[in-house]
């Protein structure tokens, strides 16, 4: 009797195993039939059929026409892959331009990585360890952008000046600054002989915040520069605030100015201590997307950082549209730092000190446009398209790597950063 029950049990197990195997095989076949097609694209800009003209605009070879998204009519999947491949090539092109035209050098993180260990990298100027006076650190936002870029959409559809950090690097070098260009979105890599090619976190660089901490520890703390200026766009503002919280004394001693462009930081959401808030009120200005004229003061209801209009309501345009105001800001703050007697009379009002007078009065931020706390920002990021599939069929992007929100005149355009945080790991 027991033996009979045992046979029944074995039979039942074998039947379950067979059915499971058949179902699994069916599922695998179904998955295989639904696999994405593999496309091969050129690996350089010229073979891709594009070039940058003298104005820094991307143009087709032979016809001088601008970029067109619809390469194959009706095949959005192919067109998107084509766009992504072009974006990767442009990333390498920007790297090459920083190295060739501005003599910046790739420096890898972690610095003392073991053989085969995945690494990230930044770009530094050759005088980083010999320039004891000034340093500029550039921090892009979240998503597909890499070192040297503000917005891929602008590089492809507008020009190099508006979409890259190259104008900032040029101004910094002409004005005696050493330069560090952060690369916060390279967070994973592959181990050698890894057949599954499963990406692993890069030590000390697994998140944008970790990357900035490593950058500070390995490069900034090892150089003797006395006066540091930081430009941080969008989620770069979150990383910069986290860095300031950990190194407040160093920031107070060395970082004389921070220019944010449509930053999505939150002093409250990131639980900044009163000392950090006080520092930010004195040394930081956020150029926010708004309909108001450039430098017009904006009043936010949930953030104490001095905020002014970037002169554009487009999130991804803020770094370019506010560029000359930021340069002026740095010049004035530097002069105040090295010659304290030249400080403006009304020291308590940061906007009055550092920004040109505006005929537009400061306007309060509407209740419906209050700055979102960091938790909501990160949740909304996860809902955004990962790879820019928000392109219009006409060939231009409806949005960019930077998602936007509507703006009410006089209000700070509250934004959530570029794309899904998962895209940060793209190599």
């Amino acid at each position: 009797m027991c033996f009979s029950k045992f046979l029944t049990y074995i039979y039942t197990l074998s039947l379950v195993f067979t059915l499971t195997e058949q179902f699994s095989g069916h599922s695998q076949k179904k998955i295989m039939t639904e696999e994405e097609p593999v496309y091969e694209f050129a690996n350089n800009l010229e073979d891709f059929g594009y070039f940058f003209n003298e104005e820094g605009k991307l143009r087709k070879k032979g016809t001088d026409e601008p970029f067109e998204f619809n390469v194959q009519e009706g095949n959005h999947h192919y067109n998107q892959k084509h766009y992504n491949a072009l974006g990767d090539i442009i990333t390498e092109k920007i790297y090459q331009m920083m190295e060739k035209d501005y003599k910046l050098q790739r420096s890898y993180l972690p610095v003392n990585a073991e053989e085969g260990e995945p690494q990230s990298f930044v770009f530094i100027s050759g005088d980083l360890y010999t320039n004891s006076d000034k340093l500029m650190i550039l921090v892009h936002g979240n998503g597909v952008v890499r070192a040297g870029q503000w917005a891929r959409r602008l590089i492809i559809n507008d020009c190099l000046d508006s979409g890259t950090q190259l104008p900032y690097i040029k101004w910094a070098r002409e004005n005696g600054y050493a330069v560090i260009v952060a690369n916060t979105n390279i967070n994973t890599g592959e181990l050698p002989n890894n057949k599954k090619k499963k990406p692993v976190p890069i030590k000390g660089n697994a998140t944008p915040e970790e990357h900035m901490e490593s950058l500070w520890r390995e490069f900034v703390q090892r150089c003797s520069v006395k006066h540091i200026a930081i430009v941080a766009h969008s989620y770069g503002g979150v990383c910069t605030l986290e860095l300031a919280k950990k190194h407040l004394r160093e920031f107070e001693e060395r970082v004389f100015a921070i220019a944010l462009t449509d930053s999505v930081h939150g002093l409250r959401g990131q639980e900044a201590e009163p000392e950090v808030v006080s520092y930010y009120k004195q040394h930081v200005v956020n150029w926010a997307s708004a309909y108001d004229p450039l430098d017009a003061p904006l009043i936010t209801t949930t953030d104490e950082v001095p905020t002014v209009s970037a002169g554009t309501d487009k999130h991804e345009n803020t770094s370019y549209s506010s560029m000359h105001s930021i340069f002026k800001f740095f010049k004035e703050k530097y002069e105040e730092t090295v010659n304290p007697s030249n400080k403006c009379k009304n020291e308590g009002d940061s906007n009055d000190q550092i920004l040109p007078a505006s005929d537009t009065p400061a306007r309060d931020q509407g209740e419906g446009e209050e700055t979102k706390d960091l938790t909501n920002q990160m949740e909304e990021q996860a809902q955004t398209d990962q790879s820019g599939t928000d392109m219009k069929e006409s060939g231009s992007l409806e949005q960019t790597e930077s998602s936007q929100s509507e703006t009410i005149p006089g209000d700070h355009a509250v934004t959530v950063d570029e794309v899904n945080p998962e895209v940060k790991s793209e190599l």
Side-chain angles (χ1 to χ4, degrees), residues 20-53:
T20 302
E21 188 176 32
Q22 290 177 352
F23 178 79
S24 175
H26 175 72
S27 299
Q28 290 177 2
K29 289 178 181 178
K30 183 177 181 181
I31 292 172
M32 289 179 65
T33 58
E34 293 180 358
E35 282 184 353
E36 294 184 355
V38 177
Y39 303 115
E40 292 186 5
F41 298 103
N43 57 10
N44 63 74
L45 197 59
E46 184 177 357
D47 290 344
F48 223 96
Y50 286 96
F51 72 101
F52 285 105
N53 64 18

Side-chain angles (χ1 to χ4, degrees), residues 263-269 286 288 299-304 307 365-374 376-377 412-415:
S263 171
V264 295
H265 74 277
L267 292 175
R268 297 181 189 177
N286 184 21
I299 299 175
T300 61
T301 57
T302 59
D303 195 87
E304 298 180 66
T307 304
Q365 186 178 25
E367 292 182 2
E369 293 291 323
E370 289 184 0
T371 306
K372 303 175 179 68
D373 61 33
L374 186 61
N376 289 338
Q377 291 166 8
H412 173 189
V414 180
T415 58

Side-chain angles (χ1 to χ4, degrees), residues 218-400:
E218 298 294 347
F219 300 111
V220 178
Q221 290 183 342
R222 296 185 181 187
C223 72
S224 60
V225 68
K226 298 182 180 69
H227 308 108
I228 301 173
I230 300 175
V231 184
H233 174 62
S234 198
Y235 195 81
V238 174
C239 301
T240 302
L241 178 53
E242 287 301 308
L243 195 66
K245 287 165 54 181
K246 293 181 180 179
H247 303 279
L248 180 58
R249 296 294 169 257
E250 291 179 81
F251 268 61
E252 291 174 333
E253 293 173 3
R254 303 177 71 186
V255 182
F256 70 89
I258 301 175
L260 305 175
T261 58
D262 226 13
S263 171
V264 295
H265 74 277
L267 292 175
R268 297 181 189 177
Q270 292 178 254
E271 300 179 344
E273 296 291 335
E275 288 181 314
V276 176
V277 175
S278 177
Y279 170 84
Y280 260 60
K281 290 170 70 174
Q282 296 177 53
H283 298 276
V284 183
V285 173
N286 184 21
W287 274 266
S289 55
Y291 291 116
D292 300 65
L294 178 64
D295 296 328
L298 304 175
I299 299 175
T300 61
T301 57
T302 59
D303 195 87
E304 298 180 66
V305 175
T307 304
V308 298
S309 172
T312 177
D313 65 313
K314 305 299 183 186
H315 174 69
E316 72 273 21
N317 283 28
T318 52
S319 299
Y320 181 63
S321 62
S322 60
M323 180 171 61
H324 294 292
S325 292
I326 289 173
F327 296 160
K328 183 177 185 293
F329 169 50
F330 285 163
K331 284 183 177 180
E332 293 183 358
K333 293 299 285 185
Y334 176 78
E335 186 63 26
E336 289 178 12
T337 303
V338 297
N339 297 305
S341 59
N342 292 344
K343 282 188 178 182
C344 295
K345 210 170 185 182
N346 299 321
E347 186 171 359
D349 189 340
S350 299
N351 288 343
D352 286 345
Q353 290 180 52
I354 57 181
L355 299 168
S358 172
D359 294 332
T360 306
R363 292 166 140 185
D364 203 350
Q365 186 178 25
E367 292 182 2
E369 293 291 323
E370 289 184 0
T371 306
K372 303 175 179 68
D373 61 33
L374 186 61
T375 302
N376 289 338
Q377 291 166 8
M378 298 304 291
E379 288 177 353
E380 291 186 20
Q381 284 176 13
Q383 299 172 4
T384 322
D385 188 356
Q386 290 187 21
S387 58
T389 54
D390 46 3
M391 295 182 188
K392 291 182 179 178
E393 292 299 321
S394 61
S396 64
L397 291 173
E398 183 176 355
Q399 293 181 319
T400 130

Side-chain angles (χ1 to χ4, degrees), residues 17-297:
F17 177 80
T18 302
L19 291 173
T20 302
E21 188 176 32
Q22 290 177 352
F23 178 79
S24 175
H26 175 72
S27 299
Q28 290 177 2
K29 289 178 181 178
K30 183 177 181 181
I31 292 172
M32 289 179 65
T33 58
E34 293 180 358
E35 282 184 353
E36 294 184 355
V38 177
Y39 303 115
E40 292 186 5
F41 298 103
N43 57 10
N44 63 74
L45 197 59
E46 184 177 357
D47 290 344
F48 223 96
Y50 286 96
F51 72 101
F52 285 105
N53 64 18
E54 293 181 357
E55 297 177 342
K57 296 180 181 294
L58 187 68
R59 291 291 181 264
K60 290 182 181 179
K61 290 171 57 180
T63 64
D64 206 38
E65 295 176 349
F67 169 76
E68 184 178 356
F69 177 69
N70 286 320
V71 180
Q72 291 188 4
E73 193 65 35
N75 191 345
H76 183 83
H77 184 268
Y78 176 86
N79 295 335
Q80 183 65 58
K81 293 292 185 181
H82 177 270
Y83 174 85
N84 293 343
L86 177 60
D88 291 340
I89 289 174
I90 287 175
T91 291
E92 288 299 327
K93 180 69 174 179
I94 303 304
Y95 289 165
Q96 294 169 12
M97 295 177 74
M98 288 193 289
E99 292 171 325
K100 181 180 178 181
D101 299 339
Y102 299 97
K103 311 303 180 187
L104 302 187
Q105 307 163 8
R106 296 192 198 201
S107 291
Y108 289 84
L109 292 169
V111 173
N112 298 315
E114 298 178 1
E115 185 176 355
E117 181 181 355
Q119 291 177 288
S120 179
F121 57 91
V122 301
F123 288 85
I124 65 173
S125 59
D127 62 340
L128 178 62
Y129 299 109
T130 58
N131 187 336
S132 61
D133 187 15
K134 293 184 286 188
L135 166 67
M136 182 183 291
I137 302 174
L138 300 172
V139 191
H140 56 63
N142 201 354
V144 297
V145 288
R146 297 293 185 262
Q149 302 179 35
W150 295 128
R152 178 182 288 184
R153 170 188 179 272
L154 293 179
I155 298 171
I156 292 177
N157 292 296
D158 189 32
C159 67
L160 288 170
D161 279 355
S162 65
T164 74
Q165 298 171 348
L166 298 179
Y168 280 84
I169 297 170
K170 182 176 185 292
W171 183 88
R173 301 305 286 153
E174 290 175 349
N175 285 270
Y177 286 81
V179 172
I180 299 178
V181 182
N183 208 3
T184 63
N185 293 330
I186 297 182
N187 307 124
T188 63
E190 293 181 4
L191 293 172
N193 303 319
N194 183 359
K195 294 182 180 180
K196 294 183 179 180
K197 294 185 177 181
K198 184 178 180 179
V200 297
I202 298 175
K203 184 179 179 180
N205 294 267
T207 66
E209 294 85 350
E210 281 189 16
H211 175 83
M212 288 302 298
E213 175 65 23
S214 295
L215 179 155
W216 188 267
R217 184 178 62 253
E218 298 294 347
F219 300 111
V220 178
Q221 290 183 342
R222 296 185 181 187
C223 72
S224 60
V225 68
K226 298 182 180 69
H227 308 108
I228 301 173
I230 300 175
V231 184
H233 174 62
S234 198
Y235 195 81
V238 174
C239 301
T240 302
L241 178 53
E242 287 301 308
L243 195 66
K245 287 165 54 181
K246 293 181 180 179
H247 303 279
L248 180 58
R249 296 294 169 257
E250 291 179 81
F251 268 61
E252 291 174 333
E253 293 173 3
R254 303 177 71 186
V255 182
F256 70 89
I258 301 175
L260 305 175
T261 58
D262 226 13
S263 171
V264 295
H265 74 277
L267 292 175
R268 297 181 189 177
Q270 292 178 254
E271 300 179 344
E273 296 291 335
E275 288 181 314
V276 176
V277 175
S278 177
Y279 170 84
Y280 260 60
K281 290 170 70 174
Q282 296 177 53
H283 298 276
V284 183
V285 173
N286 184 21
W287 274 266
S289 55
Y291 291 116
D292 300 65
L294 178 64
D295 296 328

